[in-house]
Amino acid sequence: MAAPILSYEGLGLIQGNGWLFRGLDIHVGQRDRLALIGRNGAGKTTLLKLIAGAIDADEGRRTIVPGTHVVLLEQDPQVDGYATLRDFALRGPRAPAEHEVDAIADQLGIDLNREAATASGGERRRAAIARALAENPDVLLLDEPTNHLDLSAIEWLEEWLNRFNGAFIVISHDRTFLTRLTKSTLWLDRGGIRRAEIGFGGFEAWMEQAAAEEERAAQRLDAKLKIEEHWLHRGVTARRKRNMGRLEKLHELRALRASMQGPQGTAKLAVEADDTKTKVVIDAEHVTKAFGDRTVLKDFSLRVRRGDRIGIVGGNGAGKTTLLRLLTGDLEPDSGRIMRAQTLDGIVIDQQRKLMAPEKRVRDVLADGGDWIEVNGSKKHVHGYLKEFLFDPSIAEARIGTLSGGERSRLLLAREFARPSNLLVLDEPTNDLDLETLDLLQEVIGDYAGTVLIVSHDRDFLDRTVTVTLGMDGSGDVDVVPGGYADWVAKRRERSAARPKAKPVEAAPPKPKSTKMSYKDQRDLDILPKRIEELEAAIARDEALLADPALYAKDPKRFAALNAQIEKARVEKDAAEERWLALAEMAEA
């Protein structure tokens, strides 16, 4: 690593009756791309604020190169007191230039003249991003930057950060976002921190190896490894094996779904002789829905079976919530019909987390103040059930207001999954969850006996969870694709590549700007998807090699060469994706 421009030595902070963390050494180089990883409650958000200088440490020395500008993008932007989002964006710690704020806001698709008091979470997030980026930071600290953003905004932010000349540290639950952007990892664990010169793509393998080495060391000393109870009891490696089993099962379900796919691209399944009426839980036929002159859904058909996991993706305003409300019966179609099983009994976990009153205790939320909770027909003690959702049992008496955002989300999941149901509706369930809780949520969804409807912008989560993806582009059409987010993207590439070229028109009037594709354009459109897949595979292979924590000590030249290869492949992949998207738009035009 080059000479640091920002350092903390011996960093320590007291929280409550003890140290949240102590003795941390953190160094940030001029072009570092760092992922900050740790479970909910480990202190990741607090650590970012310390690095930014927003709060004071109880011990440790902060050193910064004079003139270095550090900008913190907080998880929950505070717009209270501002008349409009523009007022908020232009009054940052270092007031940014208005034209720069406007340029970024335009690319993010946010109207800064919107009243701050009525702005949605996504609009506040976009305004905060515009303010942070327009301040031209040398070090950018990002706390869950993708929360409340749609896919197009997430991809735009990825492209901007890839071009960024400064350093950044990012906290995120979005595995795809972290894998594409980061080159080093800070792991905040049990009050200490470790740094690995690998991107997030190699982190989980490195984490498993580090845990195994700790356990072997403890066994040699004939001492019990003092580690979080949920880690030892569930086992990092054991969980990975179980997850692989669930992924295999998921692929089998996707293959079954693909075999049922109708010729028009709808998931209208053939009628079976055995118990079909009880297996089909939602049956939509030729559904159309419009609001004024805007058609949100047109001629949409879908048959949802018991056990399906349906993912809904698309940009903000594409109609995802409308489709969800139509499927669940909260909204009626303008034409067509939607039949639902009479036994359908659903629960909804929405983005607002309305049930979590700050003054309530954890025990009140889970068991109405009692000691026992009924889960799938059997009684469980509150303490035991909390362990299943990665909580320390002593948290049962804690007030909701004292929990972190991620802990509140995890508690809400624990409460809702205990209720009897056969339909689960999840609206952006991954917001505020740490990676370990995301793994747990994937396990719970995989074991759930009912049907699941998921609206999410988390690409990796969808790839690991859903059997069918409904892709919406705002035109009213819906892509129904067996598989996850990656399968939907691949389907769009195939459709664009297979689209026949338009026949030339004789004596066509001159156009101000030609949109005709050249031979090279068409060739690139055809071959780039395969090249992108090759580059993704190469990056994953090299990151797996970097996951060996002893590699740097054994062969530093090999380590440096692999890092260089990964960086080169990422640059080429980003350029290839950008080129393919531009060509796909040309082909559609």
Side-chain angles (χ1 to χ4, degrees), residues 316-583:
N316 287 342
K320 300 187 300 297
T321 300
T322 298
L323 176 54
L324 197 65
R325 293 180 65 200
L326 285 165
L327 293 175
T328 55
D330 289 340
L331 197 64
E332 291 300 319
D334 296 334
S335 63
R337 71 174 186 88
I338 302 178
M339 304 292 290
R340 300 171 195 87
Q342 292 183 354
T343 57
L344 204 59
D345 181 17
I347 56 176
V348 179
I349 301 178
D350 67 7
Q351 298 181 56
Q352 304 303 317
R353 315 299 196 244
K354 297 172 184 176
L355 300 170
M356 313 303 283
E359 67 278 3
K360 287 186 177 181
R361 297 175 303 167
V362 169
R363 182 190 300 277
D364 299 329
V365 171
L366 272 186
D368 296 325
D371 290 328
W372 298 89
I373 182 170
E374 188 165 329
V375 182
N376 295 325
S378 62
K379 283 192 173 183
K380 294 188 177 183
H381 196 277
V382 168
H383 288 179
Y385 191 59
L386 283 169
K387 286 182 183 180
E388 292 182 21
F389 279 82
L390 313 182
F391 285 108
D392 187 319
S394 63
I395 204 173
E397 306 304 324
R399 301 288 174 182
I400 301 301
T402 65
L403 305 182
S404 69
E407 288 171 325
R408 294 185 197 187
S409 296
R410 198 189 326 155
L411 181 63
L412 181 61
L413 291 173
R415 178 191 187 278
E416 295 304 292
F417 276 114
R419 296 169 58 195
S421 70
N422 52 29
L423 175 67
L424 182 64
V425 181
L426 301 169
D427 189 359
E428 289 296 344
T430 64
N431 283 350
D432 299 324
L433 297 183
D434 60 15
L435 295 169
E436 196 170 4
T437 307
L438 277 177
D439 287 342
L440 174 65
L441 178 58
Q442 289 162 20
E443 288 183 18
V444 174
I445 290 174
D447 293 337
Y448 184 65
T451 304
V452 185
L453 302 178
I454 304 172
V455 173
S456 181
H457 298 127
D458 190 322
R459 295 154 291 184
D460 181 84
F461 180 77
L462 292 170
D463 282 337
R464 292 170 181 250
T465 307
V466 302
T467 56
V468 176
T469 298
L470 307 181
M472 308 184 71
D473 60 7
S475 68
D477 294 324
V478 180
D479 287 328
V480 182
V481 180
Y485 175 82
D487 298 288
W488 174 57
V489 171
K491 186 72 173 179
R492 292 172 68 195
R493 287 176 181 164
E494 289 174 11
R495 186 170 62 238
S496 180
R499 186 177 288 112
K501 299 178 189 177
K503 294 182 179 179
V505 180
E506 293 184 5
K511 297 179 181 179
K513 184 178 179 181
S514 173
T515 58
K516 183 179 178 181
M517 295 181 70
S518 67
Y519 170 78
K520 183 179 184 301
D521 290 337
Q522 185 60 51
R523 184 173 179 276
D524 285 353
L525 184 64
D526 294 339
I527 67 174
L528 278 174
K530 182 179 179 183
R531 180 57 182 158
I532 291 168
E533 290 178 3
E534 291 172 349
L535 289 167
E536 288 173 344
I539 291 169
R541 183 185 63 245
D542 289 346
E543 285 187 331
L545 294 173
L546 280 179
D548 180 1
L551 177 61
Y552 183 80
K554 291 189 297 185
D555 193 349
K557 290 184 178 179
R558 174 66 171 155
F559 183 88
L562 284 171
N563 268 309
Q565 285 175 205
I566 291 171
E567 175 64 14
K568 182 180 178 181
R570 280 177 174 161
V571 170
E572 184 181 347
K573 182 174 78 73
D574 292 338
E577 287 179 338
E578 193 170 331
R579 168 76 170 154
W580 183 89
L581 288 171
L583 290 173

Side-chain angles (χ1 to χ4, degrees), residues 194-422:
R194 300 182 230 193
R195 176 167 176 154
E197 299 305 324
I198 53 174
F200 178 77
F203 167 71
E204 290 182 315
W206 171 67
M207 177 184 69
E208 287 182 9
Q209 188 166 348
E213 288 175 356
E214 283 191 20
E215 190 167 4
R216 284 195 297 270
Q219 289 171 350
R220 284 195 298 269
L221 294 171
D222 196 26
K224 182 179 178 182
L225 180 62
K226 291 183 179 179
I227 198 166
E228 268 70 24
E229 186 174 3
H230 65 261
W231 190 318
L232 265 183
H233 286 190
R234 302 181 74 88
V236 179
T237 304
R239 170 173 290 180
R240 170 69 63 86
K241 290 177 180 176
R242 287 198 300 276
N243 284 346
M244 291 304 296
R246 285 190 175 86
L247 282 176
E248 289 176 8
K249 179 182 176 183
L250 181 62
H251 291 318
E252 291 173 3
L253 290 173
R254 288 175 177 174
L256 176 63
R257 257 308 198 166
S259 69
M260 297 172 178
Q261 196 79 357
Q264 280 75 41
T266 63
K268 184 74 175 179
L269 308 186
V271 176
E272 300 175 11
D274 60 332
D275 196 23
T276 301
K277 290 183 179 179
T278 59
K279 287 184 177 180
V280 176
V281 295
I282 303 174
D283 191 7
E285 287 190 346
H286 307 294
V287 171
T288 295
K289 184 66 183 178
F291 296 97
D293 296 333
R294 179 170 174 254
T295 300
V296 178
L297 212 62
K298 57 186 179 184
D299 197 26
F300 170 71
S301 296
L302 177 74
R303 181 169 287 177
V304 181
R305 294 163 59 91
R306 185 174 67 237
D308 275 349
R309 283 91 172 89
I310 309 291
I312 305 175
V313 300
N316 287 342
K320 300 187 300 297
T321 300
T322 298
L323 176 54
L324 197 65
R325 293 180 65 200
L326 285 165
L327 293 175
T328 55
D330 289 340
L331 197 64
E332 291 300 319
D334 296 334
S335 63
R337 71 174 186 88
I338 302 178
M339 304 292 290
R340 300 171 195 87
Q342 292 183 354
T343 57
L344 204 59
D345 181 17
I347 56 176
V348 179
I349 301 178
D350 67 7
Q351 298 181 56
Q352 304 303 317
R353 315 299 196 244
K354 297 172 184 176
L355 300 170
M356 313 303 283
E359 67 278 3
K360 287 186 177 181
R361 297 175 303 167
V362 169
R363 182 190 300 277
D364 299 329
V365 171
L366 272 186
D368 296 325
D371 290 328
W372 298 89
I373 182 170
E374 188 165 329
V375 182
N376 295 325
S378 62
K379 283 192 173 183
K380 294 188 177 183
H381 196 277
V382 168
H383 288 179
Y385 191 59
L386 283 169
K387 286 182 183 180
E388 292 182 21
F389 279 82
L390 313 182
F391 285 108
D392 187 319
S394 63
I395 204 173
E397 306 304 324
R399 301 288 174 182
I400 301 301
T402 65
L403 305 182
S404 69
E407 288 171 325
R408 294 185 197 187
S409 296
R410 198 189 326 155
L411 181 63
L412 181 61
L413 291 173
R415 178 191 187 278
E416 295 304 292
F417 276 114
R419 296 169 58 195
S421 70
N422 52 29

Side-chain angles (χ1 to χ4, degrees), residues 91-140:
R91 288 170 175 79
R94 178 187 291 184
E98 186 168 6
H99 71 276
E100 291 188 13
V101 171
D102 285 338
I104 295 171
D106 183 59
Q107 293 174 76
L108 283 169
I110 172 67
D111 178 11
L112 291 178
N113 295 318
R114 176 71 184 270
E115 289 185 14
T118 59
S120 67
E123 289 169 328
R124 293 196 302 269
R125 170 67 57 180
R126 283 172 163 81
I129 290 173
R131 179 170 84 168
L133 304 190
E135 286 191 41
N136 297 315
D138 299 299
V139 179
L140 186 57

